Amino acid sequence: MKTIHRSILLRLLSVWLLLTPLAVGLGYWIEVRKFEEDLVALVSQHLESVSAGVQDDDVGDKTRYRATREFVSRNYLFMRIIDETGKVVAEGDNPVHEALTGKLRAQFAPLPQDGRRHVSRLEIDGVTILRVAVNLPAGLSGRKRSLEGAFIIDAQELQQQRDRLRRFLGAIVLVSLATTLALYPVILSLNRNVLRASREILQGNIETAAVLGAAIAKRDSDTGEHNYRVTLYAIALAEKVGLEREQIRYLTLGAFLHDVGKIGIPDAILLKPGRLDETEFATMKQHVGLGLEIIANSRWLAPAAEVIGNHHEKVDGSGYPQGRRGEDIPLNARIFAIVDVFDALMSKRPYKPPMALEQALEILRAGRGQHFDSALVDAFCDIADERYRALCDLSETALSKILVAHVSRHYL
């Protein structure tokens, strides 16, 4: 469940990281456009007033008018008024900025005079300049006119713009992050029933596999404890050698169902107390193929095939059914072969008493490089004493509870 929660949160944050630059870019464009529009409006207001012959006392918002006039008179490089025929009817340069105006005129193309507003921003000698072309009111003559001008955006105004931009973009980032995090519990709430159902289905599948394996084990040896113990031993060895969670899940399924094919072996052979003859042993070996057939139509059980089909292989190639050698045998099958033999040696059977721990470990060590993977035997011997003493006296019910806890750690 924690993995699902983490996955949802990581996906939401990934979407946030993907969309935030787009939102910030759009916000930046909007804020820059707003700044330019405010500046054009400021200039236009003054020029409209001037062109209509309006005096200070005639303007309702005198403070704003004076600020506009001061900005224009202080910051303009040049201004010119053009009539509807394209003729310049009035123009003037600011003598304070004569050198900068000369450089500007040397490198800019005239803005279009098409009746629409145009804005162009550029840098000259580290100075930010805004060029504008706007329509002016028709005035008493009724003729259409336009203004073209260039204005310096001073450092104070630029800093104010940057401050506003930072605040605006910061707000976008925070709001988008807050929205993303707010969606997290909403999505969890909407999917809670789905998650619960998925967990119950998974738990049911695991329990079904465990019960089926235990049922087969009981048919073979009158006890399901073997199946639970070998699965716990296999998980412990897999964790010891650092297998990934996915591989441990596959190993667990294989351990549950390693002998599922024995359901098709006759009782006379399966329950025979003595050694099997050659014909009987040939029949017994068929349980591997039968087990693979049983799980063949289940996609969920398919990963168990590594153990079911290979747990009787030996690293020297003398095993069955295919005589595989060394690392040609899947790792999960090599792990399971060790714990399966170990528990068989340590268990009471109709034809033998349980073996002493050190004697069983000596048999495993003697099989290094022949029956078993040497490195895996060494790893198992490091944990065998502790694991055996923890599990050897437990009932089938107690083993089942421990197994559920271990399996849940890797599946849920």
Side-chain angles (χ1 to χ4, degrees):
M1 187 68 73
K2 290 181 180 179
T3 302
I4 295 173
H5 289 189
R6 184 166 54 249
S7 176
I8 292 174
L9 184 58
L10 289 176
R11 290 184 182 186
L12 283 173
L13 290 176
S14 298
V15 172
W16 174 71
L17 290 173
L18 179 65
L19 294 182
T20 295
L22 299 177
V24 168
L26 179 61
Y28 178 85
W29 180 82
I30 291 173
E31 189 65 14
V32 169
R33 287 279 296 177
K34 184 176 181 297
F35 170 75
E36 293 174 348
E37 289 173 357
D38 288 347
L39 201 55
V40 169
L42 191 68
V43 173
S44 299
Q45 180 190 5
H46 172 68
L47 292 172
E48 290 167 7
S49 302
V50 171
S51 66
V54 179
Q55 302 300 321
D56 280 6
D57 293 339
D58 298 323
V59 179
D61 187 354
K62 294 181 180 180
T63 302
R64 181 178 175 84
Y65 176 76
R66 291 193 185 102
T68 306
R69 185 181 64 183
E70 290 170 3
F71 170 81
V72 172
S73 61
R74 182 180 69 248
N75 290 51
Y76 87 93
L77 297 178
F78 74 87
M79 290 186 293
R80 59 183 181 177
I81 297 175
I82 304 169
D83 66 16
E84 58 189 353
T85 67
K87 180 181 179 181
V88 176
V89 296
E91 67 178 325
D93 293 351
N94 190 339
V96 176
H97 302 296
E98 184 177 356
L100 189 60
T101 302
K103 292 181 180 180
L104 175 62
R105 289 183 181 277
Q107 62 178 274
F108 80 79
L111 293 173
Q113 301 297 322
D114 54 8
R116 293 182 295 177
R117 185 178 69 188
H118 296 275
V119 179
S120 175
R121 189 170 177 172
L122 65 157
E123 297 264 345
I124 297 180
D125 293 342
V127 178
T128 301
I129 298 170
L130 189 70
R131 292 179 60 210
V132 295
V134 294
N135 290 327
L136 294 174
L140 297 176
S141 65
R143 293 181 178 179
K144 295 180 179 179
R145 297 172 304 163
S146 62
L147 161 77
E148 183 181 340
F151 305 88
I152 296 173
I153 311 300
D154 56 36
Q156 181 180 0
E157 182 62 37
L158 279 175
Q159 187 59 45
Q160 290 176 351
Q161 181 195 13
R162 293 190 186 103
D163 291 343
R164 288 195 301 270
L165 191 58
R166 277 195 292 268
R167 288 193 296 270
F168 181 69
L169 298 183
I172 289 177
V173 172
L174 291 176
V175 169
S176 62
L177 179 59
T179 302
T180 300
L181 294 178
L183 285 174
Y184 173 65
V186 174
I187 292 174
L188 283 184
S189 177
L190 292 174
N191 288 276
R192 186 170 288 117
N193 290 336
V194 175
L195 294 173
R196 186 185 299 114
S198 297
R199 180 170 183 158
E200 290 174 354
I201 291 171
L202 178 58
Q203 188 73 35
N205 286 342
I206 294 170
E207 290 175 356
T208 299
V211 168
L212 177 60
I216 299 303
K218 283 188 174 184
R219 180 170 181 264
D220 184 11
S221 59
D222 296 325
T223 175
E225 294 169 5
H226 165 73
N227 235 46
Y228 290 116
R229 282 196 303 266
V230 292
T231 303
L232 286 167
Y233 288 146
I235 292 173
L237 179 52
E239 291 174 343
K240 170 72 174 177
V241 298
L243 253 67
E244 295 181 356
R245 292 177 73 242
E246 184 179 53
Q247 282 299 107
I248 294 178
R249 290 197 292 267
Y250 296 164
L251 172 61
T252 302
L253 276 180
F256 283 151
L257 301 172
H258 67 282
D259 276 341
V260 68
K262 286 185 178 180
I263 197 171
I265 302 300
D267 287 348
I269 295 175
L270 188 64
L271 304 179
K272 183 177 179 179
R275 182 180 296 275
L276 300 178
D277 62 30
E278 186 175 335
T279 301
E280 291 169 334
F281 186 59
T283 301
M284 177 65 80
K285 289 194 292 185
Q286 293 175 7
H287 81 274
V288 173
L290 292 172
L292 293 175
E293 290 178 12
I294 289 171
I295 69 165
N297 294 324
S298 172
R299 188 169 64 178
W300 191 74
L301 296 178
E306 286 189 347
V307 172
I308 293 173
N310 297 278
H311 69 285
H312 286 295
E313 300 285 2
K314 299 179 181 180
V315 295
D316 65 358
S318 64
Y320 69 89
Q322 298 184 58
R324 291 184 172 183
R325 292 176 173 270
E327 294 188 358
D328 287 340
I329 304 170
L331 177 57
N332 278 347
R334 282 180 276 147
I335 288 174
F336 185 78
I338 293 171
V339 301
D340 189 33
V341 169
F342 173 76
D343 192 70
L345 294 173
M346 300 298 296
S347 299
K348 180 181 178 180
R349 291 289 185 266
Y351 50 87
K352 76 169 189 68
M355 191 174 289
L357 177 64
E358 279 305 318
Q359 185 180 0
L361 293 180
E362 281 304 314
I363 291 176
L364 293 183
R365 293 189 184 101
R368 295 170 76 257
Q370 299 174 28
H371 189 163
F372 308 115
D373 183 302
S374 299
L376 293 176
V377 168
D378 294 340
F380 182 70
C381 288
D382 289 341
I383 63 172
D385 183 43
E386 184 271 331
R387 287 287 80 205
Y388 171 72
R389 296 186 189 282
L391 303 177
C392 64
D393 293 327
L394 297 180
S395 66
E396 185 174 332
T397 300
L399 289 168
S400 175
K401 290 181 179 179
I402 295 174
L403 184 58
V404 168
H406 279 70
V407 169
S408 296
R409 188 169 70 249
H410 296 290
Y411 269 94
L412 305 176

